[in-house]
Amino acid sequence: MAYTVKEIFYTLQGEGANAGRAAVFCRFSGCNLWTGREADRATAICNFCDTDFVGVGPDGGRFASASELADAVASRWPAGGGGRPLVVCTGGEPLLQLDAAAVEAFHERGLEVAVETNGTRRPPPGLDWICVSPKIGAALVLDHGDELKLVYPQEGGDPAQFDALNFQHRFLQPMDGPRQAENMALAVAYCLAHPRWRLSVQTHKVLGIR
């Protein structure tokens, strides 16, 4: 299988349970909930996305094999850095492309493999960390994992609808945008009233890193 990747870069994870951890981000191109074109945003299932996942960027590429992709990702990890290297597969929707061959190739190079997905597709076997970020209006087929990270608030959505799902960690992440301060207050209030949920803040935006 060939892979189309928007960007591959080394940074600190900014959100959720692994916030602050060094990671190589592999952002796959494409999504099944929005084309990525502003002209289509208003009619998209996910109309609040803040990420550019269209095409191939200057530090992305098209890779003819899982081995080529894994080599590109592994090369971003600093030599002699110590620790187990982590790759975060994200998008767009990474599970449109991420398959068992890529996961195996990452593991062969010593990488721990995490995915950030909207939960509308089944994952390949062997993933080390699964983070699901549900989008209201999209059918959720992935109902278990390590981390549930819900952008909040979403029109027509109540976090309680996910209470029965099997996740070790649950985060509310205030929706960015013109109402970000109001959304932050709403998320804080919900976490205080429902302490099984924790607050996730996009620290990479605060720090000014990717």
Side-chain angles (χ1 to χ4, degrees), residues 12-28:
L12 299 180
Q13 169 63 273
E15 307 170 351
N18 288 310
R21 182 177 176 182
V24 178
F25 271 65
C26 178
R27 186 178 308 284
F28 289 92

Side-chain angles (χ1 to χ4, degrees), residues 87-98:
V87 55
V88 177
C89 300
T90 186
E93 175 44 56
L95 295 187
L96 295 173
Q97 299 188 63
L98 182 66

Side-chain angles (χ1 to χ4, degrees), residues 46-157:
C46 178
N47 58 18
F48 54 82
C49 181
D50 59 0
T51 303
D52 179 6
F53 54 80
V54 178
V56 175
D59 52 1
R62 291 184 172 87
F63 302 91
S65 68
S67 180
E68 288 183 14
L69 173 63
D71 283 342
V73 169
S75 71
R76 302 312 203 272
W77 191 263
R84 186 179 183 189
L86 172 68
V87 55
V88 177
C89 300
T90 186
E93 175 44 56
L95 295 187
L96 295 173
Q97 299 188 63
L98 182 66
D99 58 5
V103 175
E104 182 179 2
F106 288 144
H107 282 159
E108 288 174 349
R109 288 152 182 79
L111 292 159
E112 184 176 349
V113 186
V115 68
E116 296 182 345
T117 172
N118 59 34
T120 61
R121 298 177 66 89
R122 297 289 181 187
L127 292 169
D128 301 295
W129 187 270
I130 296 176
C131 173
V132 175
S133 181
K135 305 302 185 289
I136 304 303
L140 186 66
V141 302
L142 182 51
D143 59 2
H144 63 280
D146 300 281
E147 179 180 359
L148 183 72
K149 186 172 62 182
L150 181 64
V151 176
Y152 184 80
Q154 293 184 47
E155 185 176 355

Side-chain angles (χ1 to χ4, degrees), residues 23-48:
V24 178
F25 271 65
C26 178
R27 186 178 308 284
F28 289 92
S29 303
C31 184
N32 57 338
L33 301 185
W34 179 40
T35 64
R37 300 188 308 169
E38 285 302 321
D40 299 327
R41 183 184 287 273
T43 57
I45 294 176
C46 178
N47 58 18
F48 54 82

